[in-house]
PDB file of all heavy atoms in Angstrom:
ATOM      1  N   THR T 172       1.262  -9.519   9.850  1.00  0.00           N
ATOM      2  CA  THR T 172       2.134  -8.548  10.717  1.00  0.00           C
ATOM      3  C   THR T 172       1.691  -8.686  12.103  1.00  0.00           C
ATOM      4  O   THR T 172       0.514  -8.640  12.430  1.00  0.00           O
ATOM      5  CB  THR T 172       1.815  -7.067  10.228  1.00  0.00           C
ATOM      6  OG1 THR T 172       2.234  -6.990   8.813  1.00  0.00           O
ATOM      7  CG2 THR T 172       2.561  -6.123  11.005  1.00  0.00           C
ATOM      8  N   ASP T 173       2.672  -8.739  12.942  1.00  0.00           N
ATOM      9  CA  ASP T 173       2.520  -8.779  14.471  1.00  0.00           C
ATOM     10  C   ASP T 173       2.293  -7.476  15.019  1.00  0.00           C
ATOM     11  O   ASP T 173       3.024  -6.509  14.700  1.00  0.00           O
ATOM     12  CB  ASP T 173       3.626  -9.562  15.108  1.00  0.00           C
ATOM     13  CG  ASP T 173       3.435  -9.808  16.534  1.00  0.00           C
ATOM     14  OD1 ASP T 173       2.668 -10.782  16.953  1.00  0.00           O
ATOM     15  OD2 ASP T 173       3.907  -9.113  17.339  1.00  0.00           O
ATOM     16  N   ALA T 174       1.500  -7.384  15.954  1.00  0.00           N
ATOM     17  CA  ALA T 174       1.105  -5.995  16.485  1.00  0.00           C
ATOM     18  C   ALA T 174       1.929  -5.668  17.827  1.00  0.00           C
ATOM     19  O   ALA T 174       1.888  -4.566  18.205  1.00  0.00           O
ATOM     20  CB  ALA T 174      -0.456  -5.959  16.919  1.00  0.00           C
ATOM     21  N   ALA T 175       2.731  -6.551  18.307  1.00  0.00           N
ATOM     22  CA  ALA T 175       3.311  -6.396  19.657  1.00  0.00           C
ATOM     23  C   ALA T 175       4.177  -5.139  19.703  1.00  0.00           C
ATOM     24  O   ALA T 175       4.025  -4.431  20.728  1.00  0.00           O
ATOM     25  CB  ALA T 175       4.026  -7.720  20.041  1.00  0.00           C
ATOM     26  N   ASP T 176       4.994  -4.945  18.822  1.00  0.00           N
ATOM     27  CA  ASP T 176       5.899  -3.829  18.879  1.00  0.00           C
ATOM     28  C   ASP T 176       5.167  -2.446  18.734  1.00  0.00           C
ATOM     29  O   ASP T 176       5.420  -1.404  19.452  1.00  0.00           O
ATOM     30  CB  ASP T 176       7.055  -3.853  17.787  1.00  0.00           C
ATOM     31  CG  ASP T 176       8.078  -4.861  18.158  1.00  0.00           C
ATOM     32  OD1 ASP T 176       8.121  -5.295  19.303  1.00  0.00           O
ATOM     33  OD2 ASP T 176       8.820  -5.357  17.214  1.00  0.00           O
ATOM     34  N   PHE T 177       4.087  -2.506  17.940  1.00  0.00           N
ATOM     35  CA  PHE T 177       3.332  -1.245  17.787  1.00  0.00           C
ATOM     36  C   PHE T 177       2.574  -0.970  18.973  1.00  0.00           C
ATOM     37  O   PHE T 177       2.493   0.282  19.371  1.00  0.00           O
ATOM     38  CB  PHE T 177       2.389  -1.485  16.613  1.00  0.00           C
ATOM     39  CG  PHE T 177       3.080  -1.698  15.175  1.00  0.00           C
ATOM     40  CD1 PHE T 177       3.229  -3.057  14.778  1.00  0.00           C
ATOM     41  CD2 PHE T 177       3.532  -0.672  14.483  1.00  0.00           C
ATOM     42  CE1 PHE T 177       3.864  -3.326  13.550  1.00  0.00           C
ATOM     43  CE2 PHE T 177       4.157  -0.944  13.236  1.00  0.00           C
ATOM     44  CZ  PHE T 177       4.386  -2.221  12.788  1.00  0.00           C
ATOM     45  N   ILE T 178       2.077  -1.961  19.624  1.00  0.00           N
ATOM     46  CA  ILE T 178       1.241  -1.711  20.846  1.00  0.00           C
ATOM     47  C   ILE T 178       2.180  -1.264  22.029  1.00  0.00           C
ATOM     48  O   ILE T 178       1.883  -0.449  22.751  1.00  0.00           O
ATOM     49  CB  ILE T 178       0.414  -2.937  21.266  1.00  0.00           C
ATOM     50  CG1 ILE T 178      -0.756  -3.149  20.232  1.00  0.00           C
ATOM     51  CG2 ILE T 178      -0.125  -2.796  22.620  1.00  0.00           C
ATOM     52  CD1 ILE T 178      -1.481  -4.441  20.515  1.00  0.00           C
ATOM     53  N   ARG T 179       3.360  -1.858  22.009  1.00  0.00           N
ATOM     54  CA  ARG T 179       4.318  -1.489  22.946  1.00  0.00           C
ATOM     55  C   ARG T 179       4.721   0.024  22.873  1.00  0.00           C
ATOM     56  O   ARG T 179       4.691   0.783  23.819  1.00  0.00           O
ATOM     57  CB  ARG T 179       5.621  -2.282  22.902  1.00  0.00           C
ATOM     58  CG  ARG T 179       6.720  -1.786  23.883  1.00  0.00           C
ATOM     59  CD  ARG T 179       8.021  -2.426  23.480  1.00  0.00           C
ATOM     60  NE  ARG T 179       8.442  -2.304  22.001  1.00  0.00           N
ATOM     61  CZ  ARG T 179       8.941  -1.096  21.549  1.00  0.00           C
ATOM     62  NH1 ARG T 179       9.155  -0.161  22.431  1.00  0.00           N
ATOM     63  NH2 ARG T 179       9.312  -0.969  20.295  1.00  0.00           N
ATOM     64  N   ARG T 180       4.906   0.513  21.640  1.00  0.00           N
ATOM     65  CA  ARG T 180       5.153   1.893  21.408  1.00  0.00           C
ATOM     66  C   ARG T 180       4.020   2.793  21.891  1.00  0.00           C
ATOM     67  O   ARG T 180       4.280   3.772  22.556  1.00  0.00           O
ATOM     68  CB  ARG T 180       5.358   2.196  19.922  1.00  0.00           C
ATOM     69  CG  ARG T 180       6.679   1.879  19.487  1.00  0.00           C
ATOM     70  CD  ARG T 180       6.709   1.935  17.840  1.00  0.00           C
ATOM     71  NE  ARG T 180       6.348   3.167  17.363  1.00  0.00           N
ATOM     72  CZ  ARG T 180       6.013   3.415  16.065  1.00  0.00           C
ATOM     73  NH1 ARG T 180       6.023   2.415  15.120  1.00  0.00           N
ATOM     74  NH2 ARG T 180       5.595   4.639  15.634  1.00  0.00           N
ATOM     75  N   ALA T 181       2.833   2.392  21.619  1.00  0.00           N
ATOM     76  CA  ALA T 181       1.649   3.145  22.068  1.00  0.00           C
ATOM     77  C   ALA T 181       1.586   3.185  23.550  1.00  0.00           C
ATOM     78  O   ALA T 181       1.244   4.275  24.108  1.00  0.00           O
ATOM     79  CB  ALA T 181       0.391   2.599  21.496  1.00  0.00           C
TER      80      ALA T 181
END
Side-chain angles (χ1 to χ4, degrees):
T172 300
D173 186 77
D176 286 344
F177 299 95
I178 291 176
R179 176 191 54 76
R180 282 171 54 193

